[in-house]
């Protein structure tokens, strides 16, 4: 089996990933055909194929062990599987793609500044409204883990398919757990982040699958890539 | 009819019939929402979920109590005891995902003490009939801790917070530590005009401020938290921010949570606790003592019963006695049971329905008797 490393197939994550490989001296050869999803990485101690996949697909493929390495957001790896460390090695944080997964509540909730306040509000919510407090999110696992660790049980997750930040205003949820890099979107929607409501500080990370097959030379390639990239950061 | 795997099914059904328990026929496929509304998101992780073409959430039956209650709700609600035995499905770490449970749910019986004792004794009797030897019973009570919080005269918000954490002693101790410590600044990050309204104790003006803010944010004013609820909680919070839990109250709570005694001594120890702290648990204690006496006079043999004051469940529908039964030296309970008077109203009953029941983990029982 050849060595495959996956990088995001579009946008800024793709550009920065390619730049980082090139800066580290591993030249990226892009496919001649712009529609192709495969490329090559050069100056490595063995053949390395680049697969261009969506960021969430990269997380899934690493966890499944179908690829050796990949660059994707830490949030996606941790959201895809509860016990991420058992499946994925977080090798080199790449210092781009910074984003936080946060709990945000309406600014009008002036009595709610932190997670302890939210716990009180969630608990009294059912008594007042006959239903649980609803949280809109795409991050089911991260939300469940965080709330369980903080002993908060009185809530329901509602799946957010589109713009999560609009859920409180549309009435489909009371609060949200979402990703934010600058906070601009949250502020525009008059939502505030709880003072201790950062669930995960995420960034793009060079990861290795713990479930993939690792031949002796594959390990050499991995070490070369990790050291080469760590050196330029 | 659902296939029952346990070899004890016939014996269980015979017991149900001899004890006037109605057979509850509960489907394998259940709506998931009642579970998520009652047991919450933590329970989601234990369930096997699916959905139908209309996107209704369904689950493989993870337990019987909720569907038995829903069945009772739909069927007229005269007091009745239901017996059940069948397969349930749960995502468990090192135990099979598919296993059998059996149990009795006693719904609508207003004589709570009698029903509590009967529930515990039924569970014990069934274990004996199925061949379990020496057992240990762990008893707790959800109501008495709340009675203590009330007797100590703690602020309502603290009573609610600590009451919710009952059953998780580590978390409870952390909260006691926090409440005893330095007070926080309640005005942090609040706009000046709002602080002014709070300081002039003008609840209406605070609610007005929140209303304006909600309008400006495009938030529905009635679908979720209302401006008046937010305003009143904010003002309570400001008032409480300067309060700290006194050393006496903290020590009383800690002493209480450490009570762990054989049932023969438990009432006496609790009485001494009352006297030493100059307080009274009130009616909950009479209720507890009546149960202790009933259990002691039942003549159970080869059985040690312990009352542990800190034992409870962090599920808000449990309201009174809770218990677990272990095979001696067993790590996991063979039986879990308790009084859950709030469950039926959460599921839609118009008034409180007294409810008590237990469930036997048949897979664990079969290992013990094999």
């Amino acid at each position: 089996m050849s060595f495959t490393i996956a990088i995001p197939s579009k946008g800024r994550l793709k550009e920065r990933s390619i730049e980082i490989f090139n800066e580290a001296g591993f030249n990226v050869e892009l496919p001649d055909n712009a529609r192709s999803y495969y490329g090559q990485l050069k100056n490595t101690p063995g053949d390395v194929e680049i697969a261009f996949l969506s960021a969430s697909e990269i997380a899934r493929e690493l966890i499944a062990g179908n690829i050796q390495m990949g660059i994707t957001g830490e949030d996606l790896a941790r959201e895809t599987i509860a016990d991420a460390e058992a499946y994925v090695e977080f090798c080199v944080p790449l210092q781009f793609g910074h984003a936080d997964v946060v709990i945000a509540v309406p600014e009008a909730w002036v009595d709610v500044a932190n997670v302890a306040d939210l716990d009180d509000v969630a608990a009294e919510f059912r008594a007042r409204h006959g239903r649980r407090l609803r949280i809109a999110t795409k991050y089911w696992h991260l939300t469940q883990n965080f709330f369980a660790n903080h002993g908060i049980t009185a809530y329901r997750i509602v799946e957010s398919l589109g713009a999560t930040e609009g859920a409180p205003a549309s009435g489909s949820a009371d609060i949200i757990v979402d990703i934010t890099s600058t906070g601009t979107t949250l502020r525009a929607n008059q939502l505030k982040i709880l003072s201790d409501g950062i669930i995960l500080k995420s960034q793009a990370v060079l990861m290795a699958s713990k479930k993939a097959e690792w031949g002796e030379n594959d390990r050499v390639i991995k070490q070369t890539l990790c050291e080469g990239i760590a050196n330029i950061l | 009819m659902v296939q029952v795997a346990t070899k004890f099914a016939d014996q269980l059904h015979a017991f149900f019939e001899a004890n006037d328990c109605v057979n509850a026929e509960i489907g394998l496929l259940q709506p998931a929402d009642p579970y998520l509304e009652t047991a919450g998101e933590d329970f989601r992780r234990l369930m096997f979920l699916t959905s139908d073409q209309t996107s209704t959430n369904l689950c493989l039956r993870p337990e019987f109590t909720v569907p038995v209650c829903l069945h009772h709700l739909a069927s007229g609600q005269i007091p009745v005891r239901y017996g059940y035995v069948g397969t349930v499905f749960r995502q468990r770490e090192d135990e099979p995902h598919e296993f059998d449970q059996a149990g009795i749910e006693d719904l609508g019986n207003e004589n709570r003490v009698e029903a509590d004792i009967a529930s515990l004794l039924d569970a014990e009797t069934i274990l004996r009939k199925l061949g379990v030897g020496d057992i240990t019973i762990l008893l707790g009570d959800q109501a008495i801790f709340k009675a203590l919080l009330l007797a100590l005269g703690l602020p309502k918000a603290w009573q609610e917070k600590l009451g919710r954490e009952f059953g998780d002693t580590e978390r409870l101790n952390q909260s006691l530590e926090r409440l005893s410590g330095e007070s926080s600044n309640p005005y942090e990050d609040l706009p000046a005009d709002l602080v002014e309204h709070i300081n002039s104790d003008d609840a209406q003006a605070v609610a007005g401020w929140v209303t304006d803010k909600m309008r400006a944010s495009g938030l529905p004013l009635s679908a979720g938290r209302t401006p008046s609820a937010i305003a009143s909680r904010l003002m309570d919070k400001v008032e409480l921010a300067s309060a700290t839990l006194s050393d006496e109250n903290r020590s009383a709570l800690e002493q209480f949570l450490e009570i762990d005694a054989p049932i023969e001594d438990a009432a006496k120890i609790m009485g001494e606790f009352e006297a030493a702290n100059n307080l009274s648990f009130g009616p909950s204690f009479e209720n507890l003592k009546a149960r202790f006496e009933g259990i002691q006079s039942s003549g159970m043999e080869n059985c040690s019963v312990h009352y542990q004051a800190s034992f409870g469940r962090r599920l808000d529908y449990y309201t009174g006695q809770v218990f677990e039964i272990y095979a001696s030296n067993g790590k996991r309970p063979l039986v879990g049971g308790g009084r859950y008077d709030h469950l039926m109203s959460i599921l839609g009953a118009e008034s409180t329905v007294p409810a008590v029941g237990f469930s036997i983990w048949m897979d664990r029982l079969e290992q013990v008797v094999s």
Side-chain angles (χ1 to χ4, degrees):
Chain A
M1 189 178 152
S2 69
F3 191 106
T4 303
I5 185 163
I7 66 176
S9 56
K10 58 181 182 186
R12 175 126 180 87
L13 290 178
K14 177 186 185 182
E15 289 164 25
R16 275 302 287 147
S17 301
I18 293 174
E19 278 169 27
I20 279 185
F21 281 126
N22 285 332
E23 281 168 32
F26 309 112
N27 294 338
V28 174
E29 280 192 2
L30 292 171
D32 297 335
N33 178 350
R35 284 170 182 271
S36 169
Y37 290 103
Y38 294 97
Q40 299 285 330
L41 204 55
K42 294 296 171 188
N43 302 332
T44 50
D47 287 347
V48 177
E49 188 164 77
I50 300 177
F52 293 95
L53 303 173
S54 78
S56 53
E57 212 174 337
I58 295 173
R60 285 198 299 273
E61 294 288 307
L62 283 166
I63 287 160
N66 294 334
I67 55 178
Q68 278 78 11
M69 297 191 83
I71 293 178
T72 190
E74 185 178 348
D75 58 321
L76 295 173
R78 294 196 186 278
E79 172 57 24
T80 306
I81 197 123
D83 181 16
E85 260 87 4
Y87 295 80
V88 170
E89 182 187 349
F90 295 87
C91 304
V92 186
L94 298 174
Q95 300 172 21
F96 68 91
H98 286 282
D100 297 342
V101 178
V102 301
I103 306 171
V105 306
E107 285 175 1
W109 290 18
V110 280
D111 60 325
V112 179
N114 52 42
V115 173
D117 285 326
L118 185 63
D119 182 25
D120 290 349
V121 166
E124 71 164 19
F125 202 90
R126 181 158 73 194
R128 277 180 184 267
H129 304 286
R131 62 169 173 85
R132 284 172 177 262
L133 181 86
R134 289 171 309 185
I135 304 179
T137 190
K138 299 184 179 82
Y139 295 92
W140 289 61
H141 280 130
L142 290 172
T143 304
Q144 286 173 341
N145 283 339
F146 185 88
F147 279 69
N149 289 338
H150 286 75
I152 302 179
T153 53
Y155 70 98
R156 273 291 295 275
I157 292 178
V158 293
E159 192 165 12
S160 159
L161 298 169
T164 306
E165 66 277 3
S170 75
S172 64
D174 303 291
I175 70 170
I176 67 168
V177 167
D178 204 7
I179 193 132
T180 179
S181 45
T182 59
T184 316
T185 312
L186 294 178
R187 274 194 299 278
N189 285 276
Q190 308 216 22
L191 298 168
K192 62 176 179 184
I193 300 170
L194 299 182
S195 62
D196 50 356
I198 296 180
I199 293 179
L200 176 69
K201 283 180 127 18
S202 177
Q203 60 177 302
V205 177
L206 176 63
M207 302 178 201
S209 172
K210 291 187 178 173
K211 297 293 170 186
E213 277 178 40
W214 286 93
E216 206 174 310
N217 196 51
D218 294 335
R219 292 180 199 285
V220 176
I221 296 174
K222 176 188 151 196
Q223 198 181 348
T224 310
L225 291 177
C226 288
E227 284 172 3
I229 287 173
N231 278 339
I232 60 151
L233 292 171
Chain B
M1 186 55 205
V2 170
Q3 191 70 36
V4 168
T6 175
K7 59 184 175 185
F8 294 118
D10 289 345
Q11 278 169 276
L12 287 160
H13 283 299
F15 181 89
F16 296 154
E17 202 170 318
N19 288 276
D20 298 322
C21 296
V22 174
N23 189 21
E25 289 192 22
I26 303 293
L28 273 181
L29 200 57
Q30 290 292 321
D33 271 2
Y35 286 109
L36 297 173
E37 280 297 316
T38 55
E41 287 292 332
D42 277 352
F43 200 65
R44 186 193 293 268
R45 298 198 270 192
L46 303 179
M47 293 198 290
F48 288 93
L49 284 153
T50 183
S51 57
D52 68 10
Q53 289 182 349
T54 64
S55 297
T56 304
N57 289 322
L58 299 168
C59 62
L60 288 174
R61 181 173 66 200
E63 57 90 76
F64 280 88
T65 307
V66 166
V68 165
C69 285
L70 287 171
H71 170 79
H72 185 68
L73 198 56
S75 69
Q77 295 194 49
I78 45 163
V80 58
R81 297 205 312 157
Y82 295 93
Y84 60 78
V85 49
T87 306
V88 297
F89 300 84
R90 288 205 201 176
Q91 305 199 31
R92 302 190 291 180
E93 231 165 66
D94 46 7
E95 292 180 292
H97 290 175
E98 181 178 345
F99 56 102
D100 290 330
Q101 279 195 334
I104 296 175
E105 312 293 344
D106 182 345
L107 305 181
N109 185 346
E110 295 285 347
N111 190 336
R112 289 175 166 80
V113 170
E114 185 188 279
D116 283 339
I117 298 168
S119 181
L120 182 75
L121 296 182
D122 280 345
E124 189 259 352
T125 308
I126 292 178
L127 294 192
R128 301 302 185 197
K129 280 184 185 295
L130 302 186
V132 178
D134 289 355
I135 55 171
T136 303
I137 300 181
L138 173 64
L139 270 183
D141 190 289
Q142 306 269 129
I144 198 120
F145 184 66
K146 291 190 174 156
L148 172 60
L149 296 172
L150 184 68
L152 292 174
L154 300 184
K156 194 158 174 289
W158 291 4
Q159 288 188 38
E160 280 167 7
K161 180 172 185 55
L162 299 172
R164 262 201 315 275
E165 290 173 345
F166 179 65
D168 183 343
T169 306
E170 195 183 330
R171 194 170 297 284
L172 206 44
N173 282 327
Q174 284 168 8
S175 288
L176 295 180
E177 174 80 41
R178 211 166 29 242
L179 292 178
S180 320
E182 292 276 300
S183 55
S184 55
N185 173 11
Y187 299 115
E188 207 175 0
D189 298 332
L190 291 184
D193 51 341
L194 183 59
V195 171
E196 206 168 298
H197 295 321
I198 297 169
N199 286 337
S200 47
D201 204 24
D202 189 345
Q204 232 170 348
V206 175
W209 192 99
V210 175
T211 307
D212 291 345
K213 185 73 190 164
M214 286 176 76
R215 286 224 172 89
S217 314
L219 285 178
L221 291 177
S222 55
R225 301 190 75 209
T226 58
S228 62
I230 293 169
S232 89
R233 184 169 178 278
L234 177 63
M235 296 180 74
D236 289 350
K237 186 181 156 188
V238 168
E239 201 178 312
L240 264 184
S242 55
T244 53
L245 182 67
S246 71
D247 290 347
E248 296 77 38
N249 283 347
R250 180 171 175 183
S251 136
L253 285 162
E254 286 171 347
Q255 274 174 48
F256 172 81
L257 291 169
E258 276 165 19
I259 294 175
D260 183 353
I263 191 169
E264 298 80 14
D265 307 330
K268 185 169 154 277
I269 291 173
M270 307 259 294
E272 287 165 3
F273 171 85
E274 275 187 318
N277 291 281
N278 197 21
L279 56 82
S280 163
F281 289 117
S284 315
F285 190 29
E286 298 311 313
N287 192 306
L288 190 73
K289 280 194 280 199
R291 271 184 269 138
F292 285 173
E293 280 161 23
I295 293 165
Q296 278 175 269
S297 61
S298 69
M300 282 193 287
E301 285 175 0
N302 302 326
C303 172
S304 80
V305 188
H306 274 258
Y307 168 74
Q308 200 179 84
S310 62
F311 172 54
R313 298 209 177 92
R314 290 206 62 203
L315 287 166
D316 59 1
Y317 49 83
Y318 280 99
T319 52
Q321 167 169 291
V322 284
F323 70 89
E324 285 177 347
I325 306 182
Y326 293 79
S328 295
N329 306 324
K331 284 208 177 74
R332 293 193 166 113
L334 301 179
V335 182
R339 170 160 295 284
Y340 50 94
D341 285 359
H342 287 167
L343 186 59
M344 288 288 284
S345 4
I346 295 172
L347 292 173
E350 281 170 13
S351 56
T352 300
V353 178
V356 59
F358 66 86
S359 202
I360 306 173
W361 304 77
M362 295 303 296
D363 57 326
R364 297 178 188 162
L365 181 140
E366 281 171 25
Q367 280 183 354
V368 166
V369 300
S370 68

